[in-house]
């Protein structure tokens, strides 16, 4: 769970830029971000999202991975 700050740490540097989108449980997009190819750590401060459960969807243009995000 997070209270508004989000840090993403990748096990290795991506081979291309990663895009990730945050969706609420209704499927509405509430955020869109990019992680540069040269970085394996990405931080967003003050997400400004209401308490609840969200879905993070990551893509590198070929593969997509989704993860649950809980905001307290």
């Amino acid at each position: 769970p997070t209270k508004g700050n989000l840090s993403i740490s990748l096990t290795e540097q991506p081979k291309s830029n990663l895009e990730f989108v945050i969706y609420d449980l209704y499927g509405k997009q509430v955020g869109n971000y990019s992680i540069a190819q040269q970085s394996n750590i990405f931080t967003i401060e003050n997400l400004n999202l209401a308490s609840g459960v969200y879905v993070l969807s990551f893509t590198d243009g070929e593969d997509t991975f989704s993860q649950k995000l809980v905001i307290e």
Side-chain angles (χ1 to χ4, degrees):
T2 181
K3 293 185 180 187
N5 296 331
L6 175 66
S7 241
I8 297 171
S9 179
L10 306 172
T11 55
E12 58 186 61
Q13 286 186 343
K15 295 183 172 99
S16 62
N17 290 349
L18 292 178
E19 300 293 324
F20 77 93
V21 180
I22 302 174
Y23 297 98
D24 66 15
L25 288 182
Y26 299 104
K28 178 182 175 189
Q29 181 178 321
V30 295
N32 189 348
Y33 304 91
S34 181
I35 300 175
Q37 181 177 352
Q38 299 84 9
S39 178
N40 64 339
I41 297 176
F42 184 77
T43 302
I44 303 171
E45 295 182 9
N46 301 318
L47 280 173
N48 293 324
L49 295 175
S51 296
V53 179
Y54 296 84
V55 176
L56 294 177
S57 179
F58 299 86
T59 185
D60 63 2
E62 293 181 16
D63 297 316
T64 301
F65 173 78
S66 295
Q67 178 70 41
K68 179 172 70 171
L69 169 66
V70 178
I71 304 290
E72 292 183 336

